[in-house]
Amino acid sequence: MMQPFGLLPLFDRPPEMGELSAPDKARLELIYQKFVREADHLLGYPTNSLFDYSSLLPFLAFGANNVGDPFLASNLGLNTHELERELIEIFCRLTQGPRPDTWGYVTNGGTEGNMYGLFLARERFPEGIVYYSEDSHYSIAKILRVLKVRSLMIRSLPDGRMDLDDLRETVHIERHKPAIMVVNAGTTMKGAIDDLVGIRNVLCEMGITQNHLHIDAALSGMLLPFMDDSPPWNFAHGADTLSISGHKMIGSPIPCGVALARRELVDLVASGVEYIGTRDTTLSGSRNAITPLFLWYAFHTIGEKGFRDWVRKCQETTKKTIEILTTLGRHPWAHEKSITVVFHRPSQGLIRKWQLATEGPISHIICMPHVNLERIQRFANDLRNDPNSVHPNKKGLP
Ligand SMILES: Cc1ncc(COP(=O)(O)O)c(C=O)c1O
C-alpha cells in the first residue's frame, strides 16, 4: 500500500548502512550546539531563521530532481515542477512581470540569478559593456570574470546608490556600444536602491537604445512588493532580468532564489536535450526539488498578507534599532525603504559574536523577521559594556 503524505517519512535504508559511531555522534552534537548558539546571535546577515518546514519531511525520502525547464514536461517525473511553476507565477506578480511573457525558475541563490541575467544579456549583446556600481554584490565582479564580458565599475554615492554623474561620464565614452546595466534594488551593505528611472534617462540622453537592465533584488525583491510607495525597481519599469534570493526574506534551510527574465530572451540560450527529454533553459543541470517546495509552502502558509505584516514589523524594528544605536553614539542610519541599519563598526569581538557584516568603518544589522527588540537590546548591552568599541573617526560614513 502506498504511504500517504503526512505520516512519518518512508526512508529506504540500505542494509549496508550502519549506525554512526559514538565519536561521530559527539561531533554532530557539537556542530548542532554551535548552530543553536550562532543562530541566537545572528544580526548581520539576511537569512530569516523563522520557518517551520517539518511537515515536508516525508519528501526528504526521495532523490527528486527538478532538472530542465519547469514549464515543460521531461522524462524525469520525480520533480516539483508543478509547484515551481506556481511559485514563478507568484514572483511574476510580485515583480510586475506580465505572464506569459515573463519566465523564471528556482535557483541555488541570488548569485545564480545574477549569473543567469548577465548570461542572457551577454548572449543578447555580445559586444555590450556591463556597468555596475562599487556597491554591487561581490558576485557581480566574479560573474563578469567567468562570462568574460567587458565591464566598467561606476562610483557610488556615500549612501550606496550608483552615482549617475559618474555613470553619464563613463557611458559617454562607450556610447556606441550596447549597455548592460546591473541595477541594485537593495545593496548588500547599505540597502541602497539605485535610481532605475535616472539610469534609463542617462542611457536615453546618450542615445543608447541597445540596453539590458538586470535587477539584483536579492533581499529587497521580497521587501519592496510589500511596502507602500516603493520606488521603480521591476519589470513594470523596464527590467529585462531580475534575481531574488529565497533563503533571505522567506527563509529556507537550503539556500535558494528565483531568476526571472523576459521570455523572449530565454530563447537565446535554450536548446533541446534528448537525454532529459526537455529544453535546457536553466544554468544548473540537476536542480533540487526541495527548495521550490519550501518556498511554495511559505507562500501557502505565511501568505502574502503574512509577508506584508513581517515587512512592517521589520521596518518598526529598524526604527527602534536606529534609536537605540543613536543613544550609544554609533551614528546609525537606514534608507527609507530598507531594513539595513548601518552604523560605526564595533570591536572585532562584537563583530564576530553578533555576526555583523562589516566593511571598513561600517557594520550593519539587518532587521530580519527573527531580529526582535530583545535581541537588539542584548547586542546594545554588549556594546555599552565593550571598552574596545569606541570608533576613532567617521571616515567613509555619509
Ligand atoms: C545585493 C545582493 N546580491 C546578490 C547576493 C547573493 O545572494 P546569494 O547569497 O543568495 O547568492 C547578495 C547576498 O547577500 C546580495 O546582498
Side-chain angles (χ1 to χ4, degrees), residues 46 109-112 114 137 139 184 186-188 216 218 245 247-248 256:
T111 299
E112 184 181 336
N114 282 341
H137 186 254
S139 65
N184 291 304
T187 58
T188 309
D216 181 358
S245 292
H247 56 284
K248 290 195 165 74
C256 55

Side-chain angles (χ1 to χ4, degrees), residues 46-48 50-56 59 66 80-94 104-110 112 218-219 221-222 226 243-260 287-304 307 310 368:
T47 47
N48 178 18
L50 293 189
F51 54 77
D52 176 2
Y53 298 120
S54 51
S55 59
L56 300 176
F59 285 102
N66 273 19
T80 56
H81 278 171
E82 170 189 342
L83 305 182
E84 189 176 4
R85 287 196 293 275
E86 284 182 30
L87 254 183
I88 297 304
E89 298 285 349
I90 294 171
F91 275 102
C92 284
R93 198 169 61 248
L94 297 179
Y105 75 97
V106 175
T107 61
N108 289 310
E112 184 181 336
L219 169 62
M222 271 301 293
F226 305 108
S243 169
I244 303 177
S245 292
H247 56 284
K248 290 195 165 74
M249 192 61 190
I250 303 172
S252 160
I254 305 173
C256 55
V258 291
L260 299 167
R287 298 186 298 114
N288 84 72
I290 296 300
T291 50
L293 195 59
F294 289 164
L295 300 182
W296 178 91
Y297 186 83
F299 276 103
H300 283 254
T301 48
I302 299 163
E304 291 182 36
F307 283 119
W310 259 357
M368 299 298 287

